[in-house]
């Protein structure tokens, strides 16, 4: 249980535009244990999706490159794996579900066909048609699709958004992966359906003994789902810690600001705390604390060099020179 | 309570959209009942929040009130006068709209200054450039955009700033009511707080009323004085904010509140009380539209349609279980 299933060390993924180099993931280091749910939170453009996609090298070769770093999974460095090795891992040992199920599913194949496709691609011996059908129906049952015997012949457009996302989960789980990467899996869904889908992911995680990387911009979802959390800002991890530490004892001013900026259901405040300014885009090399321009506590020291991600407690790290200070 | 001035009154508003019929489909033409008999009152100076899941008709409600789409049935009154095609221009000067997507709601080929001035060109014809500047300058200052930046084009601004531009455009005719259709849902968390503060600040300073539409309960709770919960083209519950949260009556409202993920690991939240998804508004279920997903539904719920009834203190609810003596929905 204590063994790390995946270890990422110093991952750097940069995007190249005509004039700039953008550090979408800059020196990202983390590891994940078996059965753990790791949350990656941050605002749009903070690099959370880039990190997830880098793990399985699903990044556009023409615009982005993994500059440095190791992704250790099963005695292999995925950042240097050959395309053949990768295709054996993607969808099989590490699978991914995306934000919008309707664009992720092919409109011209039945959902049963699309679940079968993954199994055919990754199984060593040929599966008998009847056996295959039985497995697919069983999977569809597991992800909570009513009357799967009939639904197996449906096309994606015949299903609702929640059902489509369940099909995506079935596809992702078809090969019983070790790691499931869920990239904003419920952003396109309504709250009541979102609660159902997340509960499903939680149940299946235990049943399949998977580890889950959950990417979300919604702090509420991460608080409910995750064991450990990475908070990202401008391509860098600014805080890492247990779910309890992040929400109850946040050390980085960005995490603290973000938590205060969400309107609360339990108390009434006339004015919300807001982080001034907008999310900037950085270019290489970054020589200041990324949050300095928006931080209420920033000093000269913050603008001289980028702070290290350092320990501020057991299993709790923050990238802030003042992280030890007790604020208000 | 009733001595407050009524700004907008919608009476039994219905909006049915015809569904395209295939070549071979015969028989009755199907309709989507986007709004199926919605009545509500909006008082001067208040914020009425409208919450519901996608497809419940909340955006259609905004558009029908604005007369952007004609209602199939029902009337909208503004300060007691029926809104008709004859007085629509006057109405729209008093009631302006802020849209969801700050990227598609601003014309990319117009400078921001022209965008903000446009309502003046429509509603106050014949103003000189100097007069326009006199109106625009304080407005943009209030929303936090520099006057010098008005020569720029929308793509040069970030999402939060664009939403500020959208708000400034809605404000220049000095309206009484702003109808805001998901104005913060396209924005990042840290920017969302800035824009919500702006809305509240403007209300305090200028006394705007808002009809504020959102799918996010925490946003709705933050801005609203009263909240209307919509489900499948109908208002199922309407009450003062405090009353709605302290004494939730409708099972759908309860499930909606329980499903919200609370950003606190020590609080149990995000409970999946409901199974299934909202049924299609093309063929809504008979009786109470919520009965198929309702954990408390009885035989009566599938037969008889409940009506929005006042349970005291202006707390309106549309549920048989809450109406009769058989009030079994315990306050969990």
């Amino acid at each position: 249980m204590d063994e790390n299933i995946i270890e990422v060390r110093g991952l750097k993924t940069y995007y190249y535009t005509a004039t700039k180099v953008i550090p979408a993931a800059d020196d990202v280091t983390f590891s994940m244990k078996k059965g753990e749910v790791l949350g990656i939170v941050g605002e749009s453009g903070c690099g959370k999706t880039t990190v997830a996609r880098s793990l399985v090298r699903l990044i556009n070769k023409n615009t982005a490159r993994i500059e440095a770093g190791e992704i250790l999974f099963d005695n292999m460095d995925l950042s240097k794996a050959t395309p053949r090795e990768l295709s054996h891992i993607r969808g099989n040992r590490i699978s991914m579900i995306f934000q919008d199920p309707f664009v992720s599913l092919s409109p011209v194949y039945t959902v049963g066909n699309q679940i079968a496709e993954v199994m055919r691609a990754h199984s060593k011996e040929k599966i008998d048609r009847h056996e295959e059908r039985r497995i697919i129906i069983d999977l569809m049952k597991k992800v909570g699709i009513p009357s799967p015997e009939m639904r197996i012949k449906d096309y994606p457009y015949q299903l609702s958004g929640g059902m489509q996302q369940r099909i995506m989960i079935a596809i992702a789980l078809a090969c019983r992966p070790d790691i499931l990467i869920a990239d904003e899996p419920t952003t396109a869904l309504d709250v009541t359906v979102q609660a159902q889908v997340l509960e499903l992911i939680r149940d299946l995680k235990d049943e399949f003994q998977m580890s889950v990387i959950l990417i979300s911009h919604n702090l509420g979802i991460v608080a409910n789902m995750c064991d450990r959390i990475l908070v990202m800002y401008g391509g860098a991890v600014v805080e890492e810690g247990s779910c309890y530490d992040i929400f109850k004892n946040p050390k980085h001013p960005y995490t603290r600001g973000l938590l205060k900026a969400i309107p609360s259901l339990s108390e009434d405040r006339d004015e919300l705390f807001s982080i001034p300014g907008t999310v900037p885009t950085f270019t290489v090399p970054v020589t200041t604390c990324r949050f300095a321009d928006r931080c209420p506590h920033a000093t000269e020291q913050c603008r001289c060099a980028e702070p290290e991600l350092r320990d501020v407690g057991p299993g709790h790290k923050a990238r802030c020179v003042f992280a030890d200070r007790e604020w208000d | 309570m009733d001595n407050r001035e009524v700004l907008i009154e919608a009476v039994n508003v219905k909006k049915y959209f015809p569904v395209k019929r295939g070549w071979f489909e015969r028989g009755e033409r199907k309709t989507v009942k986007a709004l199926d008999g919605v009545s509500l009152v909006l008082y001067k100076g208040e914020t009425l929040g409208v919450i519901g899941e996608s497809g419940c008709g909340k955006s259609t409600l905004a558009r029908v009130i604005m007369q952007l789409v004609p209602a199939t049935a029902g009337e909208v009154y503004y300060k007691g006068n029926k809104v008709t095609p004859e007085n629509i221009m006057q109405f729209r000067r008093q009631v302006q709209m802020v849209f969801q997507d700050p990227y598609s709601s601003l014309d990319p080929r117009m400078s921001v200054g022209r965008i903000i001035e446009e309502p003046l060109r429509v509603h106050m014809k014949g103003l000189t450039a100097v007069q326009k500047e006199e109106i625009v300058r304080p407005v943009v200052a209030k929303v936090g955009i520099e006057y010098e930046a008005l020569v720029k084009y929308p793509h040069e601004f970030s999402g939060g700033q664009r939403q500020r531009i959208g708000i400034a455009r809605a404000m220049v005719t000095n309206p009484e009511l702003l109808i805001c259709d998901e104005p913060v849902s396209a924005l990042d968390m840290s920017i969302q707080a800035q824009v919500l503060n702006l809305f509240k600040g403007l209300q305090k300073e200028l006394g705007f009323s808002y009809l504020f539409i959102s799918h996010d309960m925490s946003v709705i709770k933050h801005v609203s004085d009263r909240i209307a919960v919509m489900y499948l083209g109908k208002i199922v519950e309407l009450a003062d904010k405090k009353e709605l949260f302290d004494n939730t009556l409708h099972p759908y409202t309860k499930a909606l509140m329980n499903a919200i993920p609370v950003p606190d690991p020590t609080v149990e939240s995000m409970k999946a009380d409901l199974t299934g998804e909202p049924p299609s508004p093309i063929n809504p279920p008979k009786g109470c539209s919520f009965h198929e997903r309702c954990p408390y539904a009885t035989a009566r719920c599938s037969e008889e349609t409940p009506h929005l009834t006042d349970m005291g203190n202006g707390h309106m609810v549309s549920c048989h279980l809450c109406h009769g003596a058989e009030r079994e929905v315990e306050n969990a």
Side-chain angles (χ1 to χ4, degrees):
Chain A
M1 221 25 204
D2 279 310
E3 211 181 313
N4 283 337
I5 184 143
I6 192 163
E7 253 185 85
V8 177
R9 287 192 203 136
L11 174 72
K12 288 186 183 179
T13 306
Y14 290 175
Y15 284 95
Y16 291 83
T17 68
T19 50
K20 287 182 281 197
V21 182
I22 296 158
D26 208 357
D27 201 12
V28 173
T29 300
F30 66 90
S31 60
M32 190 164 72
K33 295 194 177 13
K34 201 169 159 47
E36 198 174 42
V37 182
L38 177 78
I40 305 182
V41 275
E43 298 175 277
S44 51
C46 73
K48 50 193 194 301
T49 299
T50 304
V51 170
R53 286 178 166 256
S54 299
L55 295 188
V56 279
R57 293 255 297 273
L58 279 178
I59 47 172
N60 189 340
K61 263 188 240 156
N62 298 322
T63 53
R65 202 157 64 205
I66 297 182
E67 294 289 324
E70 293 177 318
I71 302 160
L72 301 174
F73 173 74
D74 195 23
N75 300 322
M76 206 191 311
D77 184 356
L78 294 188
S79 68
K80 295 178 185 70
T82 61
R84 207 188 157 80
E85 286 168 327
L86 278 171
S87 66
H88 177 67
I89 283 173
R90 287 185 198 136
N92 188 20
R93 314 260 332 256
I94 303 180
S95 49
M96 201 159 172
I97 45 181
F98 300 94
Q99 182 175 125
D100 191 341
F102 192 68
V103 280
S104 311
L105 290 167
S106 165
V108 294
Y109 292 99
T110 62
V111 293
N113 227 321
Q114 296 187 53
I115 301 175
E117 191 188 355
V118 216
M119 302 198 313
R120 287 177 201 150
H122 290 295
S123 83
K124 298 235 162 46
E125 61 262 32
K126 202 166 156 38
I127 315 168
D128 166 78
R129 285 271 153 152
H130 292 285
E131 173 68 5
E132 187 181 86
R133 189 182 145 85
R134 196 191 56 73
I135 299 174
I136 293 171
I137 288 177
D138 196 45
L139 255 170
M140 288 171 75
K141 243 183 229 153
K142 277 211 171 92
V143 295
I145 289 171
S147 50
E149 294 82 2
M150 285 158 64
R151 292 293 177 200
I152 192 166
K153 286 199 209 112
D154 275 1
Y155 289 88
Y157 76 90
Q158 292 169 297
L159 301 173
S160 64
M163 288 298 148
Q164 287 171 7
Q165 197 57 293
R166 285 169 198 267
I167 294 290
M168 284 301 294
I169 296 172
I171 293 173
L173 299 187
C175 294
R176 302 196 159 246
D178 298 306
I179 299 176
L180 175 71
I181 302 175
D183 187 359
E184 303 263 10
T186 55
T187 308
L189 307 177
D190 283 321
V191 262
T192 56
V193 183
Q194 162 173 293
Q196 295 168 23
V197 169
L198 291 174
E199 194 176 271
L200 176 73
I201 293 180
R202 203 157 32 185
D203 293 345
L204 292 173
K205 184 209 85 161
D206 293 334
E207 195 184 328
F208 285 66
Q209 295 179 333
M210 296 181 292
S211 311
V212 177
I213 298 180
L214 181 73
I215 296 164
S216 181
H217 68 279
N218 186 326
L219 289 162
I221 291 177
V222 217
N224 279 278
M225 295 283 293
C226 299
D227 303 310
R228 272 187 333 115
I229 294 168
L230 302 179
V231 182
M232 290 191 66
Y233 184 79
V237 175
V238 293
E239 188 159 0
E240 176 187 350
S242 70
C243 189
Y244 188 87
D245 281 340
I246 295 288
F247 284 94
K248 291 295 179 183
N249 187 20
K251 291 292 186 191
H252 197 282
Y254 176 64
T255 319
R256 305 170 74 92
L258 219 47
L259 285 171
K260 277 194 278 179
I262 320 170
S264 155
L265 279 173
S266 50
E267 57 178 299
D268 271 320
R269 255 177 297 181
D270 214 26
E271 197 172 331
L272 292 170
F273 176 84
S274 66
I275 302 173
T278 52
V279 186
T281 317
F282 295 95
T283 48
V284 179
V286 179
T287 53
T288 65
C289 168
R290 285 164 214 246
F291 191 57
D293 286 341
R294 304 176 75 190
C295 181
H297 314 294
T299 62
E300 263 322 293
Q301 195 185 349
C302 305
R303 296 199 172 84
C304 293
E306 180 165 35
E308 293 283 307
L309 188 66
R310 62 197 177 90
D311 286 318
V312 289
H316 190 178
K317 292 178 186 163
R319 196 185 285 275
C320 175
V321 283
F322 300 124
D324 304 317
R325 218 187 259 180
E326 286 296 325
W327 306 111
D328 35 69
Chain B
M1 179 154 181
D2 282 309
N3 51 21
R4 285 186 291 176
E5 190 187 345
V6 174
L7 215 52
I8 291 268
E9 187 172 7
V11 182
N12 203 15
V13 172
K14 291 183 182 171
K15 178 66 201 176
Y16 297 168
F17 291 104
V19 179
K20 257 200 192 141
R21 214 165 21 172
W23 195 259
F24 297 108
E25 283 175 87
R26 284 166 184 273
E28 207 183 330
R29 199 175 186 133
K30 286 179 190 157
T31 52
V32 172
K33 294 181 174 169
L35 287 180
D36 202 6
V38 169
S39 301
L40 56 81
V41 172
L42 195 141
Y43 297 102
K44 191 172 164 62
E46 77 164 351
T47 303
L48 176 64
V50 179
I51 188 163
E53 296 181 280
S54 54
C56 74
K58 51 193 195 302
S59 288
T60 308
L61 178 66
R63 280 158 199 272
V64 166
I65 289 179
M66 271 315 275
Q67 314 283 317
L68 289 173
V69 287
T72 310
E75 287 99 42
V76 176
Y77 295 89
Y78 177 71
K79 290 186 171 172
N81 301 317
K82 189 175 166 187
V83 180
T84 58
E86 286 76 49
N87 61 19
I88 183 74
M89 287 307 280
Q90 187 144 33
F91 170 73
R92 285 202 183 138
R93 191 173 153 179
Q94 299 299 325
V95 181
Q96 286 276 321
M97 197 157 173
V98 178
F99 297 92
Q100 170 173 9
D101 186 352
Y103 293 87
S104 60
S105 61
L106 302 179
D107 188 335
R109 307 215 299 178
M110 274 183 172
S111 74
V112 168
R114 266 178 63 100
I115 290 175
I116 296 177
E117 269 175 26
E118 200 178 15
L120 296 179
R121 285 199 296 277
V122 176
H123 291 290
M124 302 178 189
K125 289 193 182 97
L127 290 183
T128 63
V130 179
Q131 284 170 317
K132 279 184 196 159
E133 190 190 322
E134 268 170 19
I135 297 174
V136 171
R137 203 179 258 277
V139 168
V140 291
K142 282 200 179 83
V143 299
I145 301 275
E146 280 169 37
Y147 188 77
E148 287 64 39
L150 295 189
V151 294
K152 292 195 205 167
Y153 285 82
H155 72 265
E156 297 173 78
F157 292 88
S158 67
Q161 282 174 312
R162 283 170 189 231
Q163 201 54 295
R164 287 169 193 272
I165 293 164
I167 296 168
R169 173 176 62 182
M171 279 170 58
V172 285
T173 60
N174 196 20
E176 285 200 79
L177 170 69
L178 292 187
I179 296 183
C180 313
D181 187 4
E182 301 261 16
V184 294
S185 58
L187 305 177
D188 268 321
M189 289 172 283
S190 65
I191 310 300
Q192 177 176 309
Q194 293 173 3
V195 174
L196 287 176
N197 283 342
L198 175 65
F199 273 116
K200 277 215 151 183
L202 291 173
Q203 184 168 43
K204 229 179 241 169
E205 197 184 332
L206 303 165
F208 285 141
S209 312
Y210 294 124
L211 181 72
F212 201 99
I213 294 168
S214 177
H215 67 278
D216 187 335
M217 188 64 104
S218 47
V219 168
I220 283 285
K221 188 185 176 216
H222 180 72
V223 298
S224 309
D225 300 310
R226 288 192 306 141
I227 298 172
V229 183
M230 287 190 69
Y231 187 77
L232 224 59
K234 288 192 172 99
I235 292 179
V236 294
E237 190 162 6
L238 196 164
D240 279 351
K241 168 167 69 177
K242 198 169 169 346
E243 169 75 11
L244 189 79
F245 275 82
D246 294 349
N247 183 23
T248 314
L249 290 177
H250 200 283
Y252 175 66
T253 317
K254 264 184 202 164
L256 198 61
M257 287 184 178
N258 288 342
I260 303 165
V262 176
D264 185 341
T266 56
V267 174
E268 204 196 330
S269 64
M270 210 173 76
K271 283 177 274 185
D273 292 355
L274 297 182
T275 52
E277 286 167 63
S280 155
I282 294 179
N283 201 359
K286 228 180 118 196
C288 171
S289 51
F290 185 58
H291 82 261
E292 285 173 345
R293 297 174 80 197
C294 181
Y296 311 102
T298 63
R300 187 180 169 204
C301 301
S302 53
E303 291 297 323
E304 210 180 305
T305 311
H307 297 285
L308 202 60
T309 312
D310 197 335
M311 306 296 289
N313 290 333
H315 191 150
M316 315 272 277
V317 68
S318 156
C319 174
H320 291 311
L321 298 169
C322 306
H323 292 162
E326 37 180 348
R327 207 178 125 182
E328 291 155 26
V329 189
E330 67 279 315
N331 274 311

